[in-house]
Amino acid sequence: RKRAKLACAPCKSRKRRCDGQSPCTTCTEFEYDCYYEHHPRKKNGAMAQTTMVPSPQSPAAMLAASVDDVRPERNSIFDGPASHLQSIEANSGAAFTRSLGLRMDSMEAPRLHMFAWNLGLRDEPIKTSSFRGSIVDILSSQEMSELASVYFAEVHPVYGFVDRVSVESMITSRWTLDLRSEISDTILCGIGALGCLFSHKRSHLEAQLVHIARMMLEHSTNFPNQSVQHVIGWLLRVIYLRLTASPHATWMASCTLMHTIEATRLHLEPSIEFVLSHPIEVCDPELRRRLYTVAYLFNTWISYDNGRSRVDLHGASCSSPTADSSGCSTDFLDICQLSKFLGPAKIRDSSELEKALSRAYLLAPTHPMLKLVKCNIVLCIYRRLRAPGFAIPTRSLEQILSVIDMGLTTIEQMIQTKSPWWHVSNVPFQIVCTLLAMDTSKSVSRLQRSLRALHSVYQTYGTNVTEESYTTARVLVRLHRRQKQEDLAMLDECL
C-alpha cells in the first residue's frame, strides 16, 4: 500500500496510518492536535532541534491556542508573549485540568471549565425582584447583632478589614436612632448575608439581604464620588460571590471593587498628590491599607483562576498593613506577597519559583482557611514550575507532597463543621490533578485519600457542583489508569 513520506507526531505515537496531509485524515476524525516534527539539517556542527508545526486548520490546534501546550517536549522558557500566556494558563486551575486531560486522551478530556470553583451552595437563588423594603423591614436589631457575631467569628479572622465597634455603632444608629444611611445599609446587608451563609441558614432572609446590597451598590456607581464605605460594601459582596456565584460574576465584581478603590484613592498614601482626582477622603491609615490589601488579593486570585487580567492600579503606593492577630497575620501578609510574585507579567525562572515554594512551605497559618490558601499557592507554584518543563528537584516535590497532606487533613476537619469556604471543594480537586500530573509512586499513593475527601465533600454538601467535581476527578483517574494500561501492554509486547 502507498505510505506517506512523513507521518504526523500523533499518528506516529499511536501507530496509526497517516496520509501526510495537514491536518491528516486520522487527526481530523479523532480531533487530535495534528502537527509534524521537522528535523533540520545540522549546520556548523550544531545539534539539530525538533520544531513542531501545528496544523492551523485542526480543531484541536485551535483549542491548544487557549490551553497550555499539551506537548511535553518544551524544556525552556522564552521572554515573549507565549511565555506570558503560559504563565497565565499555569496560574489557572481550569486550564491545568484541561491540559492534563488532553495529555491523557484528547477525545475524553474534561472540557475547559472551572470545576470546584466553590461549593455551589446557592445554585438556585430565591427570586427577590419584587422586594422593595429595607434592612429594618426584614431584621430586628437583635437578629442583626447575631449575624454580625457569626461574621466576626468566621470571616473576620481570615480577612479582617471591618471594625467591630463601627459595625455595632451602625446597628445602633439604624435601629435605635432610626438614622437611615444607604451605604451603611449596604455594609450591614453584606455582613448579614455572610452571617446567614456561615450559620447554615438557607433562608429567604439571606436572598433579601443580598438583593438589597446589590441594588444599592449598583446604584452607587452613578455617584460622581465614592467613599470608603462603598469599598467595604463591594468587598463584602465579592467575598459572598466567591462563596456562592459563578466565576465570571465574581471576577466582574472584583474588578468593580478595584475601580472603586481607584475612585476613592485608597491605593495611594495621603502624601501623594494627584491633580486629576478629588481630595482623598479622611480614613484611618490602617483601615485603608487593609482594604486595599484584601481587595488586591481577591482580584488577583479571581483573575488567576479565570485566566484573565487583574486590575492594575497605576502608581499604587499603599503600604502593607501592620500584622496583628485580627485577620491580618504575618502569614496573611506573606500570602499577599507570594500572590503578587506569581503575577504573569514577569517571567520567573526555576530558582525563583523554588525559593517561593520554600517560602510558602514554611508558612504556618493557624486558621483552617488560610491553611488551604497556602496549599492553593503551593499547587500554583507547582504548575508554574511544570508549564515550561523545568526539572523539579526531589526536595521541592517532597515539600509539595507535605503541603498536600496538610491540606487534606484540614479539609477533612472543615467538612466536619460543614464550612462553606470555597477551598473545601477547590483544593482537593486541584490536589487530584496535581498528583496525576506528578505521576510518581508517592503521588499516586495519595490519590485514594484525595478522592475520598472529594467524595466526602459531595456527600456532605450534596450540590450539583460538588457532584460534578467528584465525577470529573474520577474521570481523570480513569483516563490516567487507561493510559498506564496501554503503556503496560506495549511493555508486555517487548517481552
Side-chain angles (χ1 to χ4, degrees):
R1 72 188 182 203
K2 186 176 180 180
R3 293 179 177 270
K5 292 182 178 180
L6 180 64
C8 69
C11 288
K12 276 185 179 180
S13 63
R14 293 175 173 84
K15 298 182 180 179
R16 295 189 176 183
R17 182 184 300 178
C18 182
D19 58 15
Q21 299 299 313
S22 181
C24 72
T25 303
T26 301
C27 286
T28 301
E29 180 181 356
F30 293 98
E31 295 187 353
Y32 294 145
D33 184 4
C34 187
Y35 62 96
Y36 291 83
E37 295 180 345
H38 295 280
H39 300 272
R41 295 178 180 177
K42 299 179 181 179
K43 279 190 177 181
N44 299 326
M47 293 297 294
Q49 294 181 337
T50 297
T51 59
M52 291 168 288
V53 183
S55 167
Q57 300 174 344
S58 168
M62 290 187 288
L63 175 63
S66 62
V67 182
D68 192 23
D69 191 339
V70 300
R71 299 181 292 277
E73 284 83 354
R74 293 187 302 181
N75 294 316
S76 61
I77 190 165
F78 303 94
D79 189 12
S83 298
H84 291 288
L85 180 61
Q86 188 182 76
S87 297
I88 291 172
E89 292 173 349
N91 282 350
S92 171
F96 180 61
T97 302
R98 175 63 174 165
S99 176
L100 181 66
L102 286 173
R103 290 176 186 272
M104 298 175 185
D105 191 311
S106 61
M107 295 187 66
E108 297 186 29
R111 69 191 190 281
L112 188 60
H113 178 66
M114 295 290 294
F115 295 105
W117 163 252
N118 54 33
L119 290 161
L121 298 174
R122 298 297 180 261
D123 283 341
E124 300 177 0
I126 301 173
K127 294 182 179 180
T128 57
S129 57
S130 61
F131 181 74
R132 294 292 183 271
S134 66
I135 189 171
V136 296
D137 297 324
I138 57 176
L139 273 178
S140 67
S141 174
Q142 178 63 30
E143 289 172 328
M144 183 66 233
S145 295
E146 291 174 357
L147 291 176
S149 296
V150 174
Y151 171 87
F152 282 102
E154 300 291 342
V155 182
H156 185 74
V158 184
Y159 304 109
F161 57 90
V162 180
D163 179 59
R164 185 161 193 169
V165 175
S166 298
V167 172
E168 291 172 350
S169 177
M170 289 181 193
I171 296 173
T172 300
S173 299
R174 192 68 177 93
W175 275 269
T176 304
L177 303 179
D178 196 25
L179 298 177
R180 183 185 179 94
S181 171
E182 187 173 283
I183 191 57
S184 294
D185 279 8
T186 301
I187 295 174
L188 293 175
C189 284
I191 290 174
L194 288 168
C196 286
L197 185 63
F198 276 85
S199 58
H200 312 298
K201 295 179 179 179
R202 177 71 165 113
S203 67
H204 195 72
L205 171 62
E206 179 185 329
Q208 288 178 324
L209 291 170
V210 172
H211 175 74
I212 294 172
R214 179 177 63 84
M215 295 298 291
M216 289 190 293
L217 285 171
E218 290 179 353
H219 177 66
S220 71
T221 58
N222 297 314
F223 299 164
N225 297 325
Q226 301 289 301
S227 70
V228 173
Q229 289 187 319
H230 286 108
V231 173
I232 296 174
W234 273 110
L235 183 49
L236 290 167
R237 177 162 174 75
V238 168
I239 295 175
Y240 181 85
L241 292 177
R242 183 63 182 86
L243 286 158
T244 62
S246 69
H248 177 72
T250 310
W251 177 72
M252 291 291 289
S254 74
C255 292
T256 303
L257 165 64
M258 295 305 293
H259 288 305
T260 306
I261 285 178
E262 184 175 27
T264 57
R265 295 183 64 192
L266 284 183
H267 63 303
L268 302 175
E269 290 293 337
S271 58
I272 302 296
E273 295 294 335
F274 190 44
V275 177
L276 296 177
S277 179
H278 59 82
I280 193 168
E281 179 182 352
V282 176
C283 175
D284 176 69
E286 190 60 27
L287 173 61
R288 183 185 69 254
R289 291 163 184 163
R290 289 193 179 202
L291 282 172
Y292 174 73
T293 300
V294 177
Y296 176 91
L297 186 67
F298 269 92
N299 180 246
T300 295
W301 277 103
I302 291 169
S303 300
Y304 287 173
D305 290 337
N306 281 272
R308 296 178 180 175
S309 300
R310 64 178 178 84
V311 177
D312 186 14
L313 301 183
H314 297 295
S317 59
C318 188
S319 304
S320 298
T322 304
D324 60 19
S325 58
S326 179
C328 193
S329 63
T330 302
D331 287 325
F332 175 80
L333 296 180
D334 286 339
I335 285 170
C336 294
Q337 292 176 4
L338 284 168
S339 301
K340 187 174 182 179
F341 167 85
L342 290 171
K346 184 176 181 180
I347 305 302
R348 304 292 183 179
D349 60 31
S350 59
S351 62
E352 290 178 303
L353 290 168
E354 288 165 18
K355 288 178 182 178
L357 176 61
S358 296
R359 183 178 175 186
Y361 173 74
L362 293 174
L363 294 178
T366 56
H367 194 281
M369 176 56 179
L370 290 181
K371 289 182 180 180
L372 295 189
V373 172
K374 167 187 171 177
C375 188
N376 187 54
I377 288 176
V378 167
L379 296 178
C380 183
I381 294 174
Y382 169 76
R383 297 195 297 267
R384 289 288 294 271
L385 280 166
R386 184 175 181 273
F390 290 140
I392 305 177
T394 302
R395 178 174 175 271
S396 296
L397 290 174
E398 292 292 340
Q399 290 176 335
I400 294 168
L401 291 174
S402 176
V403 173
I404 284 175
D405 290 339
M406 178 275 298
L408 290 173
T409 299
T410 303
I411 289 162
E412 291 162 353
Q413 295 169 350
M414 295 176 76
I415 291 173
Q416 298 300 317
T417 60
K418 209 173 181 181
S419 173
W421 287 112
W422 55 86
H423 277 325
V424 172
S425 176
N426 182 263
V427 166
F429 181 83
Q430 289 301 324
I431 285 176
V432 170
C433 295
T434 301
L435 294 176
L436 289 173
M438 283 185 176
D439 195 20
T440 65
S441 58
K442 289 185 177 181
S443 67
V444 173
S445 67
R446 289 167 167 81
L447 273 174
Q448 184 178 17
R449 185 186 180 190
S450 304
L451 283 173
R452 189 165 57 241
L454 266 180
H455 186 248
S456 296
V457 170
Y458 167 49
Q459 285 188 318
T460 301
Y461 298 90
T463 64
N464 293 333
V465 172
T466 56
E467 179 183 17
E468 178 187 52
S469 303
Y470 176 61
T471 301
T472 304
R474 285 177 58 86
V475 168
L476 289 170
V477 173
R478 282 199 297 269
L479 291 176
H480 186 75
R481 180 183 64 180
R482 188 170 68 190
Q483 187 180 55
K484 289 294 184 182
Q485 289 173 338
E486 292 175 354
D487 292 343
L488 183 60
M490 286 189 288
L491 289 174
D492 288 340
E493 291 178 359
C494 298
L495 301 177

